[in-house]
Amino acid sequence: MRMLAISLSSPVPIHDQLVAGLRGLIAAGTLAKGDELPPVRQLAADLGINLNTVARAYRELTDDGLLASVRGRGTIVIATVERSSGPKAEERKRIETGIAAAFNDAKIAGLSRESVESIVHRQLDRLWE
Amino acid sequence: MADPFITLGRVLMLVLVPTMLLFPMVFAALVPNRAADDSARIKARGLLLVLAISTAVLLAIWLGLVLTGARFPGAMMIAGFWWTWFFPLWFLLAMPAIVEKNPYLGWTAGGGSASGEVRAASLVNRERQNPVTRVLWSVPVILFVLLLAAIAARGLMPFGVGPYPGDSAVNPEAARVAYADAERSRWLLTLIVFGSVFGFLLAMLPRSLRRTLAEPEPMDAAGSVELAYLYQRQRRKRVLGLFWSCGTVLPLVIGTLSVLQVWFPSERSIWGLVGAIGGSLLGLGGAIFGTWMTIDRAKIAAGKARVDQASSVPG
């Protein structure tokens, strides 16, 4: 069963958790191209959170080209992890900037090289078996 | 001496019509305000204001109809059907206001709303698991059309030909014409009321079913298959219960009585009594179903609590 979980005690805002969770499921291939997502009201009710938070997360992922609103089908996944051409140059740059920012955060937070390596390996294993 | 059934009907009308007109406004006003944000709060306030004004205007018109009813029997007849304004007041104004004020009202009955630090949801679109299929929809649609046609067909026959309680000794022809006019008016009003009320209910039913499908089904983080099954089973019962009761049983009972009233008007007081008993039984059935669903929901909530507890125990 495809599940999405959030933690209310996490310092990460709920909206960011939703976006990251859905991105993670798409990246892992759990959510594939053409899969339907639940309506905003349903997901908000199940998680007991504000409708607008879910709507904003869907909108952000739609703007990023991962989701789309289709008449009669609701919100569907349009991104796919299997691309023959590979990422575009600007997409690659955006990803590199994101990774660099995460490494900076790790360094500032005082994580050791070994800890960072273990996190990186865990994430690599999660997505590239 | 006046027919006791008609007197009883008048008294009931004087109590029930204002109660039904006031109910949406009172209920919406009493709902605890848990609006999601300021824009929802402002929208809810606006809808409540429109609801209050509409209710006041409708009550004033109804009172006017009742007061002039002694001189104009047609006015009293319209006043008797004035309760049908309940539906637009409830569905078009009160319900949207309630949703803005408190989006999850009623969904927590018997427990089951999301709680706790870690919350999980299935990403299945439940609208795709709607047990009401297109074929099933044909049942209430055909039923509605048949009942409406049966009421409408009465208009093809002459009015005022059967036994009537007119003062035939003084002026039999005038009494017959007056009775025929009253019978025709009552038929036309029944046709309009049944068509508009149940047409409206039928149009609103898909929306109500969608809302029922979106009721919260908080999952455990591991996505327990048993829990998902219990939710699915309960959802199915709830959706089908709502579909059959509002889409079929209710129009069938009210429609059949309306058909009998327009085709056999001399027995109208009996049909009224049968309608009151039938309506009460329907209400009772609805209450029993609601209680059953609430108990069912509480059982699922208890099951989820056990699953959550088991997964939080270390080792």
Side-chain angles (χ1 to χ4, degrees):
Chain A
M1 190 189 297
R2 292 193 302 249
M3 300 287 297
L4 181 70
I6 55 163
S7 169
L8 263 58
S9 56
S10 164
V12 181
I14 293 171
H15 161 266
D16 293 356
Q17 290 186 52
L18 287 177
V19 170
L22 290 168
R23 273 183 188 282
L25 290 169
I26 293 168
T30 311
L31 281 174
K33 192 175 183 176
D35 281 347
E36 284 181 28
L37 287 183
V40 168
R41 186 176 287 277
Q42 179 191 314
L43 189 57
D46 286 359
L47 295 172
I49 59 175
N50 195 314
L51 294 174
N52 295 333
T53 309
V54 179
R56 210 151 48 87
Y58 275 16
R59 211 162 36 239
E60 189 174 321
L61 292 167
T62 303
D63 291 344
D64 289 349
L66 301 181
L67 305 179
S69 269
V70 177
R71 188 176 279 273
R73 288 191 67 193
T75 306
I76 63 161
V77 177
I78 55 166
T80 174
V81 285
E82 290 145 15
R83 282 193 231 176
S84 53
S85 57
K88 290 177 195 155
E90 68 264 30
E91 207 174 349
R92 202 185 164 93
K93 191 162 177 59
R94 185 178 59 81
I95 293 165
E96 199 174 330
T97 310
I99 292 172
F103 274 90
N104 289 341
D105 285 348
K107 181 78 177 171
I108 291 164
L111 261 68
S112 66
R113 186 190 170 98
E114 289 73 30
S115 303
V116 173
E117 274 176 354
S118 119
I119 292 169
V120 168
H121 283 302
R122 210 167 42 245
Q123 293 304 322
L124 287 173
D125 290 344
R126 185 171 68 86
L127 299 175
W128 288 272
E129 286 174 61
Chain B
M1 197 178 147
D3 186 339
F5 284 121
I6 291 175
T7 310
L8 183 68
R10 287 264 161 89
V11 172
L12 279 174
M13 188 267 281
L14 288 174
V15 177
L16 284 178
V17 174
T19 307
M20 285 189 77
L21 292 180
L22 280 168
F23 180 81
M25 193 188 72
V26 173
F27 191 93
L30 290 177
V31 166
N33 201 339
R34 299 205 174 93
D37 49 37
D38 281 345
S39 70
R41 203 165 291 124
I42 292 166
K43 202 171 162 191
R45 207 176 298 149
L47 282 164
L48 277 175
L49 186 67
V50 177
L51 178 61
I53 293 169
S54 308
T55 307
V57 169
L58 286 168
L59 276 172
I61 297 173
W62 175 78
L63 202 62
L65 288 168
V66 170
L67 292 175
T68 52
R71 272 185 294 160
F72 308 105
M76 191 56 96
M77 200 191 301
I78 294 170
F81 281 99
W82 210 244
W83 61 270
T84 49
W85 281 105
F86 165 84
F87 294 100
L89 285 179
W90 178 254
F91 286 104
L92 299 181
L93 293 169
M95 266 184 71
I98 291 165
V99 169
E100 292 297 338
K101 271 182 95 177
N102 195 336
Y104 306 126
L105 183 82
W107 285 356
T108 50
S113 59
S115 60
E117 292 290 308
V118 177
R119 299 180 181 185
S122 159
L123 288 176
V124 169
N125 184 352
R126 293 200 284 272
E127 283 185 12
R128 299 283 166 257
Q129 297 179 338
N130 192 344
V132 183
T133 59
R134 275 166 196 248
V135 178
L136 224 51
W137 270 111
S138 60
V139 178
V141 172
I142 291 171
L143 186 73
F144 171 70
V145 171
L146 285 178
L147 287 166
L148 196 64
I151 297 170
R154 177 65 186 90
L156 301 172
M157 310 292 284
F159 289 97
V161 288
Y164 56 89
D167 190 359
S168 53
V170 178
N171 190 342
E173 186 49 27
R176 196 196 62 77
V177 169
Y179 183 68
D181 281 347
E183 208 182 299
R184 188 180 296 109
S185 304
R186 206 171 288 120
W187 160 76
L188 194 62
L189 214 53
T190 305
L191 181 70
I192 294 167
V193 167
F194 181 79
S196 54
V197 168
F198 286 98
F200 183 72
L201 272 183
L202 203 58
M204 296 301 289
L205 196 53
R207 201 169 134 185
S208 305
L209 294 181
R210 272 202 301 278
R211 195 169 152 75
T212 304
L213 286 164
E215 286 194 20
E217 295 184 5
M219 293 292 295
D220 59 310
S224 157
V225 177
E226 294 81 30
L227 193 59
Y229 171 71
L230 288 175
Y231 277 133
Q232 191 194 359
R233 208 177 55 172
Q234 211 249 0
R235 193 192 321 132
R236 193 181 155 78
K237 278 190 279 194
R238 227 170 41 221
V239 170
L240 287 175
L242 183 67
F243 174 76
W244 288 117
S245 59
C246 292
T248 310
V249 179
L250 192 63
L252 182 67
V253 171
I254 307 290
T256 307
L257 284 164
S258 301
V259 170
L260 290 169
Q261 274 198 345
V262 296
W263 280 95
F264 308 102
S266 53
E267 311 294 335
R268 159 167 124 248
S269 50
I270 295 171
W271 307 137
L273 192 66
V274 172
I277 295 167
S280 305
L281 287 175
L282 280 179
L284 191 67
I288 291 169
F289 184 74
T291 309
W292 176 34
M293 287 298 103
T294 304
I295 294 168
D296 224 21
R297 191 91 177 138
K299 281 182 188 165
I300 298 175
K304 183 186 174 287
R306 275 196 301 275
V307 172
D308 284 342
Q309 205 174 13
S311 61
S312 66
V313 172

